[in-house]
Amino acid sequence: MKKVKIIALALSLVLMFAASASAGPPPSGHNQSISSDSSNKLVYIEGYLGAAVLDSYAGWNTLDYNDSGWGNATETGLLAGTWAPQFGNAKWIATPGIADEGALCGPNNYSFYLYRNTFTIPDNAYNINASMLCYADNFQTIYLNGNEVARGLEPNGINFDMPHAVGCALNILPGKNVLAVEVKNGDNGSGTHGPAGLLYQINVNYELDPKVTTTAASNISATGATIKGLVNAQDNDDTLATFEYGTSSGVYGSTVNADPNSFGGDSDTNVSAAISGLTPGTTYYYRAVATVNNRTVYGEEMSFTTPSLPAPTDEYTSSSNTYTGPASTTSVGPASTEAEPASTLTGPTAKIELVSTFTVGSTTYTINGESFEMDTAPFSIEPRVFVPQRFLGLALGIPDDEQHIIWDETTNTATFITTDGKEAKCSVGSTILTFDGQEIQMDVEPMVQDGHIFLPARFLTEALGGTVSWDDLTKTVTVRISI
């Protein structure tokens, strides 16, 4: 086919076809263009060589086909994009050496041009919409990932005398795709065929899920840690960032808001969350999470292990066995069935002295030499000793009932009310102990472990007028108080 004739027909076809087959991008979302240019792979087959040659390229239109042996297409001056705006930056492409000159193929024969263009759509794309406008001299069959999606109208006979334009929608997928186009070109009645080739433009519009990466935790202690992640909102406003964590891989069970919690933009944002109330010597699993547009994206799972409880150190003065460091905390356990040790008042002003002992790692404690059982054991951390809430209250002479030893799950607050009506309060997450209206600064927070609340024994004991001492050899804390 003659070059002048191609250009004239192309112009009229493109302008006529643009209204119904435009490949212009939709107005919103992320846009990507794929077009014909010299990056396209191309192989040329003369028709007189027979169908067996074409058969030798079986699977050429599929994604897995190896086209490394193919040449690259040649861009020509035909159908320049400047006068065909529907084609954007697309170029007319053909076979090197045949683009601008006829090639002898014999009377009533035709040639094949096989084109391939492998392209990638982001893996986190969704709501993908794609349209294609394709012009070929003379006749094209279009494949996407091995599936035929459109073809031009093939004239009767081999002597093609007119190029064809095709517009279609494409079911493009996230990740790698391959556009494959077979172009047939017939002779011009004189045993030769003209500068056959291909011009196409694909415009793709899609939304992007946020990108989420879970990163290493920091500030890991026996009972807390800071878990971290990286979130790119991908221009999604109001992306919500959270973390999931727990002691079972893939199950988690706890969710906490990240800081920052909600944001947009197209840059990486560091997010984190401080978590507390963890169990010493335990492995925790966690992952970052981003939610937007009713879609949720999860980062990969990571883990950390809280350190085991160390023994108390030199904050205890062994020469005097006097505990001088911060103290222990208490936990909510089932009510004790043991009776408190009886005492006899010898006069209206007489006081009862209670001497109680708690040993790290043991569920047995004593009051005035009599042994009782707890449902959890005291422990020590750097080098504080932590005693279960309820049993510490009993050791301090506080009545064993819900009116005097109280745990508020909604505020994570432990309250003790003495027999003379004085009130002591402390909360998980706070280092303030309030007693009789006065605030006392502690240097350790109450802790939750295995469903129990543990409170700093030293501060509560001293607030009530008692003393605490430590035996480093037996790892035993002794609480003394007169009531």
Side-chain angles (χ1 to χ4, degrees):
M1 182 174 297
K2 301 301 183 183
K3 182 174 181 179
V4 174
K5 187 177 181 182
I6 291 175
I7 295 176
L9 285 171
L11 177 59
S12 61
L13 280 169
V14 168
L15 296 178
M16 174 183 67
F17 201 70
S20 60
S22 173
S28 63
H30 297 261
N31 298 318
Q32 185 173 337
S33 296
I34 299 100
S35 57
S36 52
D37 57 30
S38 59
S39 68
N40 286 231
K41 295 290 188 176
L42 170 61
V43 67
Y44 168 73
I45 305 169
E46 280 284 11
Y48 70 86
L49 296 176
V53 176
L54 185 62
D55 291 343
S56 69
Y57 291 94
W60 70 274
N61 54 6
T62 63
L63 185 60
D64 294 334
Y65 183 82
N66 183 2
D67 59 12
S68 60
W70 290 26
N72 286 82
T74 297
E75 298 177 5
T76 78
L78 300 179
L79 288 177
T82 55
W83 62 267
Q86 291 82 4
F87 287 100
N89 294 320
K91 305 295 182 182
W92 182 259
I93 53 175
T95 305
I98 309 178
D100 295 311
E101 57 190 345
L104 183 63
C105 62
N108 298 323
N109 258 317
Y110 54 86
S111 58
F112 290 95
Y113 296 79
L114 305 183
Y115 297 85
R116 284 174 55 88
N117 187 358
T118 302
F119 59 92
T120 301
I121 300 296
D123 289 334
N124 58 329
Y126 68 98
N127 287 343
I128 301 174
N129 294 289
S131 58
M132 177 180 184
L133 186 60
C134 179
Y135 169 81
D137 180 15
N138 292 116
F139 163 72
Q140 74 275 50
T141 305
I142 303 169
Y143 302 89
L144 180 68
N145 300 327
N147 300 309
E148 181 179 330
V149 294
R151 64 170 58 203
L153 178 63
E154 185 172 6
N156 293 327
I158 294 177
N159 184 17
F160 298 165
D161 59 0
M162 164 177 196
H164 288 270
V166 171
C168 61
L170 299 177
N171 185 26
I172 290 176
L173 303 175
K176 281 190 175 181
N177 295 262
V178 64
L179 175 77
V181 184
E182 175 192 283
V183 177
K184 289 182 182 179
N185 189 41
D187 69 35
N188 58 13
S190 63
T192 63
H193 59 76
L198 178 68
L199 177 75
Y200 68 83
Q201 174 81 3
I202 302 172
N203 283 304
V204 189
N205 176 262
Y206 46 79
E207 302 296 329
L208 289 175
D209 281 324
K211 292 183 178 180
V212 183
T213 303
T214 309
T215 58
S218 65
N219 302 326
I220 301 170
S221 68
T223 60
T226 299
I227 49 181
K228 298 179 178 181
L230 200 64
V231 177
N232 187 321
Q234 298 283 270
D235 285 330
N236 290 297
D237 292 336
D238 302 319
T239 296
L240 182 67
T242 58
F243 288 94
E244 295 178 339
Y245 70 96
T247 56
S248 297
S249 175
V251 178
Y252 313 111
S254 296
T255 300
V256 62
N257 287 335
D259 180 24
N261 182 228
S262 181
F263 48 87
D266 189 27
S267 59
D268 291 340
T269 300
N270 288 297
V271 296
S272 62
I275 54 177
S276 59
L278 307 183
T279 302
T282 301
T283 297
Y284 284 85
Y285 302 88
Y286 67 101
R287 63 183 178 183
V289 182
T291 303
V292 68
N293 298 331
N294 295 318
R295 296 172 64 86
T296 300
V297 182
Y298 301 94
E300 65 277 19
E301 181 181 271
M302 296 191 72
S303 65
F304 64 90
T305 301
T306 54
S308 299
L309 304 176
T313 62
D314 59 3
E315 287 193 26
Y316 302 98
T317 306
S318 58
S319 60
S320 62
N321 281 342
T322 300
Y323 175 67
T324 62
S328 52
T329 58
T330 66
S331 86
V332 175
S336 173
T337 58
E338 303 289 350
E340 294 187 28
S343 299
T344 303
L345 293 176
T346 59
T349 61
K351 289 189 175 183
I352 306 169
E353 183 181 41
L354 298 180
V355 180
S356 306
T357 62
F358 297 89
T359 300
V360 171
S362 173
T363 58
T364 300
Y365 74 108
T366 68
I367 299 179
N368 287 355
E370 185 174 355
S371 296
F372 301 91
E373 287 298 317
M374 302 177 289
D375 55 358
T376 187
F379 57 85
S380 61
I381 296 181
E382 302 175 356
R384 292 94 167 110
V385 174
F386 292 81
V387 179
Q389 169 199 355
R390 180 169 159 268
F391 300 102
L392 177 60
L394 298 180
L396 296 173
I398 297 175
D400 185 17
D401 57 48
E402 294 181 356
Q403 286 72 45
H404 292 85
I405 302 177
I406 305 162
W407 169 246
D408 186 341
E409 292 184 358
T410 60
T411 61
N412 286 342
T413 299
T415 301
F416 300 87
I417 300 176
T418 65
T419 54
D420 57 357
K422 293 181 179 180
E423 182 180 89
K425 282 189 176 184
C426 55
S427 302
V428 174
S430 172
T431 57
I432 299 298
L433 168 69
T434 302
F435 178 69
D436 200 20
Q438 301 295 315
E439 289 189 353
I440 300 171
Q441 180 66 52
M442 304 181 291
D443 54 5
V444 65
E445 298 177 3
M447 294 172 52
V448 176
Q449 179 174 323
D450 298 331
H452 297 74
I453 175 70
F454 289 76
L455 304 177
R458 171 194 164 199
F459 298 104
L460 182 61
T461 300
E462 292 182 352
L464 270 61
T467 62
V468 178
S469 62
W470 170 253
D471 186 334
D472 190 56
L473 182 63
T474 62
K475 309 301 181 188
T476 299
V477 62
T478 299
V479 176
R480 300 174 183 270
I481 192 169
S482 296
I483 59 172

